[in-house]
Structure formats: C-alpha cells, structure tokens
C-alpha cells in the first residue's frame, strides 16, 4: 500500500513559482489528500452578503495547495494526477463580480448566491437555485490543477498555462486522470479552486465555488512525449449528471468568435428571463453553473457559430 500524505488549508500559495519550497516530498504512486479552501481564500462564508463581493481582496484569491515534490520527476516527464475522491463542503457560492466574466459590460452590479449543498434519498448531492423550482446536481472538480512552470518568476494563478493551472474544466471529476507536462525537477504539483458544479465556459467567471477535500494519486511517466499541454482521460460519460433530458440551445453567429460567444450567452439569458421569470443577473449566474458553450461551426468563414446549451433537466 503506497503511503498517504495530508496537505492542510494553510499550506498554500498564490503564484506559480518554481522557487517555492515544497510542503511535502512523495514517491511516484503516492496518494496525497488536500484540504482546500474555496477560491475566495475564505473571504466568502455561508453568512456573507453581496457587500463581501465588493470588498474582496483579489490579491488573495485563487490560491492553490502545495507544492508537492514528486521523486523521480524530471523535465520532459509527465505527471499523471488521478482523482480518487472529491468532497465538497455543505455550502458554496456564485457571484457576479463587476469587471469579470464574458458579459462584464452588461452586468456591472455585484451579486451573490449562497448555495446549500445537500443529498437526496438516493445519495445524490444537489443544491437548489430556487427552492422547489430549479435543482442543480453537483459534479465536483477542481479548477486549479498544475505543476510549476520551468521559467523563473511568479506567474498568476488566474489564467491557464501549458503546465496546467486554472483550467476550470468540469470533466476532470472523480475517476479522471489528467496528464501534465513537467518542466522542473520534482514537478511541484498544486491543486485548489473547488467547484460543486459548473457549465463549460464558466461564463460569469464563478462556478459553485466551495471548499473541497481532494484525494489524488501522483504518478510519473517517462514515456509520454505526446503530452505537450494538459490532457485527460475521463471515466465517462461526459456531463452525466445533467444529460438526463432536453436542452434549449442558442447559436451566436459572428465573424469574431468572442462576439459569437457573447451573443449565444445573451440569448440564453433572454430566454431564462422571458420564459422562466428569472432576473437577468440570476439567469447569468445560472448559465455559469449549468450551461455549456460549444464550438458548433468553425470552418465556413467569415462567421463562427457558437452554441449555448442549457439543460432543461434543472427545472423541476
């Protein structure tokens, strides 16, 4: 049985930087358990109000736990991270943060949704967006998964990098193996940014953010030269918690892919407002936690077709 290690909430850092000393040294094949705060680094709590969004210190957000030095890991190798367990807290939050998100110019007022995460009679974890009306099944994953870049210096944890980082990919759930190209000795692996649920694209910039307990197995591979940037193997099927019924979908058509994406999201917000009676900011935050963005057509120039897919199974 390989040894297990526990990394606590305080063992975290705010930048990707290969000069940060590791908090643990483990052998390839070891299991590491992380206790991670939410992406606000504890600034938002179950009792927070919208004022907490306005006063949030963004120099303290998106911290990651680690780094972990993995023995035998060398530049040019690949680190396999197998997610064994992902356990959310019993609460989470979603916010509209002014200046942040795809439609930042249309949503300039802060908003905050505090979620209560519970389990149904079948043991399925879920949360209510609106009690008795809109029910979101959870599918926990970590948004921040990465190893230290080879370049010297401190790099923000906000954007994704070729070595991982803030990839915010909802399909990296329990049972998934993600492969990261190693650029420094020991790999220096870190993880964080727990999400209870998120749509592909995370359009408003926050998912259901939650503290997370994470268990991973770290394995070094010497024979995977095809891994140039993060790749992953899912247990399948994709989006199984949501893919239980009909979808309402919109297409954004535009020669600019960013504008096409904005159109598709805006049309879903319009639909939720006019058909389901949500306020526009409620609709926008709901899109971020359960709507998927897809590139439906990218070859018939001059226009792109970007699709926004809303699972109608969330409506009770």
């Amino acid at each position: 049985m390989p040894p297990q290690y526990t990394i606590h909430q305080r063992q975290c850092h705010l930048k990707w930087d290969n000069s940060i000393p590791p908090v643990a040294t483990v052998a390839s094949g070891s299991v590491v358990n992380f206790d991670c705060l939410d992406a606000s680094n504890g600034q938002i709590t179950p009792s927070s109000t919208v004022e907490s969004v306005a006063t949030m210190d963004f120099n303290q957000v998106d911290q990651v736990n680690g780094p972990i030095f993995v023995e035998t890991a060398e530049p040019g190798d690949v680190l396999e991270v197998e997610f064994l367990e992902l356990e959310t807290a019993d609460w989470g939050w979603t916010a509209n943060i002014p200046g942040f998100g795809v439609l930042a110019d249309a949503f300039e007022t802060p908003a905050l949704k505090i979620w209560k995460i519970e389990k149904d009679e079948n043991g399925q974890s879920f949360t209510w967006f609106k009690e008795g009306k809109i029910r979101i099944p959870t599918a926990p994953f970590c948004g921040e998964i990465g190893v230290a870049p080879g370049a010297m210096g401190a790099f923000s944890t906000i954007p994704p990098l070729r070595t991982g980082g803030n990839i915010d990919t909802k399909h990296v759930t329990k049972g998934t193996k993600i492969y990261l190209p190693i650029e420094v000795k020991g790999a220096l692996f870190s993880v964080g940014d727990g999400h209870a649920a998120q749509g592909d694209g995370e359009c408003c910039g926050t998912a259901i953010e939650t503290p997370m307990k994470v268990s991973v197995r770290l394995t070094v591979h010497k024979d995977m030269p095809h891994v140039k940037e993060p790749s992953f193997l899912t247990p399948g099927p994709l989006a199984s918690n949501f893919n239980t019924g009909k979808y309402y979908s919109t297409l954004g058509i535009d020669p600019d892919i960013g504008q096409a994406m904005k159109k598709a999201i805006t049309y879903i917000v319009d639909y939720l407002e006019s058909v389901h009676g949500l306020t526009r900011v409620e609709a926008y935050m709901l899109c971020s936690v359960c709507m998927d963005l897809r590139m439906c057509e990218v070859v018939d120039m001059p226009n792109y077709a970007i699709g926004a897919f809303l699972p109608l199974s969330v409506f009770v």
Side-chain angles (χ1 to χ4, degrees), residues 22 30 44 75 82 111 122 132 145 159 171 183 189 212 220 256 283 295 302 311-312:
S30 295
I44 293 181
E82 180 182 4
N122 298 314
I145 310 165
H171 305 294
E183 293 188 352
F189 171 77
M212 187 85 78
V220 176
D256 180 275
M295 300 177 70
L312 298 185

Side-chain angles (χ1 to χ4, degrees), residues 99-120:
F100 198 55
V102 176
L103 301 182
D105 54 344
F107 292 91
E108 298 179 344
T109 302
L112 178 66
K113 164 70 176 177
I114 300 293
W115 308 77
K116 178 184 177 183
I117 300 172
E118 49 194 313
K119 290 187 177 180
D120 62 19

Side-chain angles (χ1 to χ4, degrees), residues 230-241:
S231 307
F232 55 93
L233 176 66
T234 75
L238 294 180
S240 58
N241 284 5

Side-chain angles (χ1 to χ4, degrees), residues 101-180:
V102 176
L103 301 182
D105 54 344
F107 292 91
E108 298 179 344
T109 302
L112 178 66
K113 164 70 176 177
I114 300 293
W115 308 77
K116 178 184 177 183
I117 300 172
E118 49 194 313
K119 290 187 177 180
D120 62 19
E121 62 278 4
N122 298 314
Q124 168 64 50
S125 181
F126 74 98
T127 185
W128 291 106
F129 185 75
K130 285 188 176 293
E131 185 77 28
K133 295 182 178 180
I134 304 176
R135 182 180 189 271
I136 306 295
T138 66
F141 72 98
C142 289
E144 293 267 10
I145 310 165
V147 294
M152 297 301 294
F155 299 88
S156 171
T157 56
I158 301 298
L161 306 170
R162 68 177 299 275
T163 49
N166 196 17
I167 60 173
D168 280 337
T169 301
K170 73 173 187 177
H171 305 294
V172 186
T173 52
K174 179 180 176 179
T176 299
K177 296 178 179 180
I178 187 167
Y179 302 96
L180 303 170

Side-chain angles (χ1 to χ4, degrees), residues 219-230:
T219 306
V220 176
H221 290 276
K222 302 286 185 179
D223 56 352
M224 299 182 72
H226 55 280
V227 176
K228 309 296 185 187
E229 296 191 2

Side-chain angles (χ1 to χ4, degrees), residues 261-307:
M261 176 178 61
K262 289 182 177 182
K263 287 181 178 180
I265 299 168
T266 300
Y267 301 153
I268 289 285
V269 170
D270 293 343
Y271 164 78
L272 288 168
E273 182 184 34
S274 62
V275 176
H276 293 281
L278 301 185
T279 67
R280 292 191 71 77
V281 73
E282 285 177 334
Y284 186 39
M285 289 193 292
L286 181 62
C287 286
S288 202
V289 303
C290 71
M291 181 205 74
D292 293 331
L293 287 171
R294 298 178 183 174
M295 300 177 70
C296 294
E297 214 284 326
V298 296
V299 296
D300 293 327
M301 294 295 99
N303 290 335
Y304 295 95
I306 303 300

Side-chain angles (χ1 to χ4, degrees), residues 29 67-68 86 91 172 184 230 239 286 311:
I68 308 299
L86 290 157
W91 70 281
V172 186
V184 299
L286 181 62

